[in-house]
């Protein structure tokens, strides 16, 4: 009988992120652009994973910019790499982020530009063709994607770019240690935005458990502070202090999500990062697809071997009434 111990699937996913070092070597100096400033904790988990990756591999972030405060007049030294935040906003669903991405590629043709792992989705093929026309002009553009469909889209439409398939940056946070035992049985963590699967409304809302989504995880006071920080980022005089506050406050927001998930024995989620966070916490979870297959595509290639995770293969999911959603407070 072999005594060789198989590496944990989550360790394997974290290890695969090291391929980024081929493009952004240790000790590189970078500009990190389009980090999130909002209440979607999925993006915050990506940001924290990204920052952890930079720290773990001695990558020096000399400047950070969000979509609110990037200055197109900034002169970036030629020896610094422009690194764009990953996630699921590559395409024509989230116009502000895609416009920033395309403008930077046009504005800095002499810099190495790296787009961290993204899911690509376009409703309008003409929008995809416009992106391709811009990207294919750049001589040193590297695009990481996190699912097979995105890899196919990028490979076919951006032939002049380097395209590679790797997991989401949040995997750099593995493992997240739990400091308390769950008090409740089940959390139904279902998205209520434009990526909600249309069939969610077709199942009974009598599903057991509590209901939450990223917008309802944080109370109005917590979201109000995010609003004021984003306003501060737009003003030159308050930008530096607003960025400092956001990096600290986003730690609190992520930790609140972790404490919330820790309260439940299992998670049923149509949020990709509800699923990824559950995997990072080694918590039993079932993933439901989103409107365009992002979740199932991710599970199929990356997390299907994680023993705490399963994919909901039924054609039906849940859309609970607004009244059933929990309203959380700042005290957890």
């Amino acid at each position: 009988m072999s005594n060789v111990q198989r590496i944990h699937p989550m360790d394997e996913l974290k290890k695969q992120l090291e391929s980024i070092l081929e493009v952004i070597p240790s000790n590189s100096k970078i500009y990190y652009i389009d980090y999130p400033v909002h209440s979607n904790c999925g993006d915050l988990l990506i940001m924290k994973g990204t920052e952890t990756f930079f720290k773990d591999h001695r990558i020096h972030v000399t400047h950070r910019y969000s979509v609110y405060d990037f200055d197109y007049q900034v002169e970036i030294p030629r020896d610094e790499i422009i690194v764009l935040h990953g996630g699921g906003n590559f395409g024509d669903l989230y116009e502000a982020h895609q416009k920033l991405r395309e403008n930077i590629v046009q504005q800095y043709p002499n810099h190495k530009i790296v787009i961290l792992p993204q899911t690509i989705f376009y409703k309008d093929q003409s929008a995809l063709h416009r992106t391709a026309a811009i990207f294919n002009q750049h001589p040193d553009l590297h695009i990481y994607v996190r699912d097979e469909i995105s890899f196919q889209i990028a490979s076919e439409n951006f032939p002049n770019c380097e395209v590679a398939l790797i997991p989401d940056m949040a995997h750099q946070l593995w493992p997240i240690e739990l400091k308390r035992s769950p008090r409740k049985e089940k959390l139904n963590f279902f998205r209520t935005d434009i990526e909600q699967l249309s069939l969610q409304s077709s199942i009974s809302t009598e599903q057991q458990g509590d209901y939450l989504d990223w917008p309802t995880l944080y109370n109005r006071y917590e979201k109000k502070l995010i609003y004021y920080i984003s306003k501060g980022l737009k003003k030159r005089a308050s930008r530096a202090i607003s960025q400092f506050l956001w990096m600290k406050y986003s730690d609190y927001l992520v930790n609140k999500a972790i404490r919330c998930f820790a309260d439940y024995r299992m998670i049923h989620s149509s949020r990709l990062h509800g699923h990824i966070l559950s995997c990072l916490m080694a918590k039993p979870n079932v993933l439901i697809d989103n409107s365009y297959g992002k979740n199932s595509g991710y599970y199929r290639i990356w997390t299907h071997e994680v023993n705490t995770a399963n994919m909901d293969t039924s054609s039906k999911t849940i859309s609970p009434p607004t009244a059933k959603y929990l309203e959380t407070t700042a005290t957890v």
Side-chain angles (χ1 to χ4, degrees):
M1 181 180 293
S2 174
N3 292 323
V4 176
Q5 290 187 331
R6 186 179 182 276
I7 187 172
H8 193 288
M10 292 294 288
D11 285 313
E12 290 182 344
L13 295 177
K14 183 175 181 178
K15 183 73 174 175
Q16 289 195 46
L17 294 179
E18 293 181 9
S19 63
I20 295 172
L21 300 175
E22 298 172 9
V23 179
I24 312 174
S26 295
N27 299 313
S28 295
K29 293 181 180 180
I30 70 168
Y31 273 55
Y32 176 36
I33 300 175
D34 200 21
Y35 68 83
V37 185
H38 50 242
S39 61
N40 184 320
C41 191
D43 284 323
L44 303 187
L45 287 165
I46 296 172
M47 178 177 72
K48 297 304 177 184
T50 301
E51 294 278 6
T52 300
F53 181 87
F54 295 154
K55 181 179 179 181
D56 289 347
H57 297 289
R58 303 181 307 282
I59 295 168
H60 308 291
V61 183
T62 59
H63 292 81
R64 293 172 176 83
Y65 290 96
S66 73
V67 71
Y68 295 112
D69 62 335
F70 183 74
D71 181 2
Y72 288 104
Q73 303 306 311
V74 66
E75 292 187 11
I76 301 177
R78 285 285 302 274
D79 63 342
E80 298 211 19
I81 302 170
I82 299 173
V83 180
L84 294 166
H85 181 74
N89 59 20
F90 191 125
D92 56 1
L93 290 183
Y94 303 94
E95 182 178 354
H97 299 281
Q98 185 64 20
K99 184 177 180 181
L100 173 62
R101 191 176 294 120
E102 293 176 0
N103 286 345
I104 286 173
V105 171
Q106 286 182 305
Q107 184 85 7
Y108 299 95
N110 298 317
H111 287 75
K112 178 189 287 187
I113 299 178
V114 180
I115 299 175
L116 293 176
Q118 279 275 355
T119 294
I120 301 175
F121 178 74
Y122 284 86
K123 295 183 296 182
D124 182 356
Q125 285 297 302
S126 64
L128 172 57
H129 295 154
R130 286 196 300 271
T131 301
I134 295 169
F135 280 18
N136 287 321
Q137 291 297 313
H138 199 283
D140 199 4
L141 178 56
H142 304 260
I143 303 171
Y144 289 102
V145 293
R146 58 187 186 181
D147 65 275
E148 291 170 316
I149 294 176
S150 296
F151 182 77
Q152 181 178 353
I153 293 171
S155 299
E156 291 177 354
N157 290 276
F158 313 135
N160 293 343
C161 306
E162 295 293 329
V163 179
L165 180 65
I166 62 171
D168 187 272
M169 294 303 298
H171 286 283
Q172 190 68 27
L173 298 173
W174 166 261
I176 295 176
E177 303 290 344
L178 302 184
K179 297 181 179 179
R180 62 186 182 190
S181 300
R183 300 178 299 163
K184 304 177 184 179
E185 181 63 20
K186 183 180 181 182
L187 173 62
N188 299 295
F189 202 76
F190 298 133
R191 66 187 315 141
T192 53
D193 61 4
I194 58 175
E195 292 185 37
Q196 175 182 313
L197 192 68
S198 61
L199 289 173
Q200 277 190 208
S201 60
S202 65
I203 263 195
S204 167
T205 57
E206 297 304 314
Q207 184 90 352
Q208 292 183 343
D210 295 330
Y211 291 93
L212 276 175
D213 189 15
W214 296 133
T216 53
L217 177 62
Y218 305 114
N219 63 44
R220 61 193 179 104
Y221 302 105
E222 292 166 325
K223 287 186 277 193
K224 195 78 168 179
L225 183 52
I226 298 172
Y227 168 74
Y228 284 122
I229 290 174
S230 68
K231 283 190 67 176
L233 285 169
K234 298 176 183 178
K235 301 175 182 178
R236 186 180 296 272
S238 58
R239 178 184 174 273
I241 186 63
S242 296
Q243 186 180 92
F244 174 81
L245 289 173
W246 176 241
M247 292 303 163
K248 297 297 183 183
Y249 187 53
S250 57
D251 284 339
Y252 161 79
L253 297 174
V254 169
N255 287 332
K256 182 175 183 180
I258 292 170
R259 293 194 300 272
C260 172
F261 275 45
D263 265 346
Y264 295 88
R265 189 191 68 79
M266 74 89 62
I267 311 295
H268 199 185
S269 179
S270 61
R271 285 279 184 185
L272 177 59
H273 282 84
H275 165 67
I276 291 176
L277 178 56
S278 300
C279 292
L280 291 169
M281 299 169 69
K283 185 170 289 290
N285 69 96
V286 177
L287 179 63
I288 303 167
D289 217 349
N290 75 319
S291 61
Y292 59 89
K294 173 175 68 178
N295 296 353
S296 58
Y298 194 87
Y299 177 84
R300 183 171 58 250
I301 189 170
W302 302 121
T303 52
H304 65 280
E305 291 188 356
V306 177
N307 60 6
T308 56
N310 289 284
M311 188 76 204
D312 187 339
T313 56
S314 70
S315 61
K316 298 179 179 179
T317 52
I318 295 171
S319 181
T322 303
K324 288 190 69 176
Y325 274 77
L326 299 176
E327 193 62 51
T328 58
T329 62
T331 303
V332 180

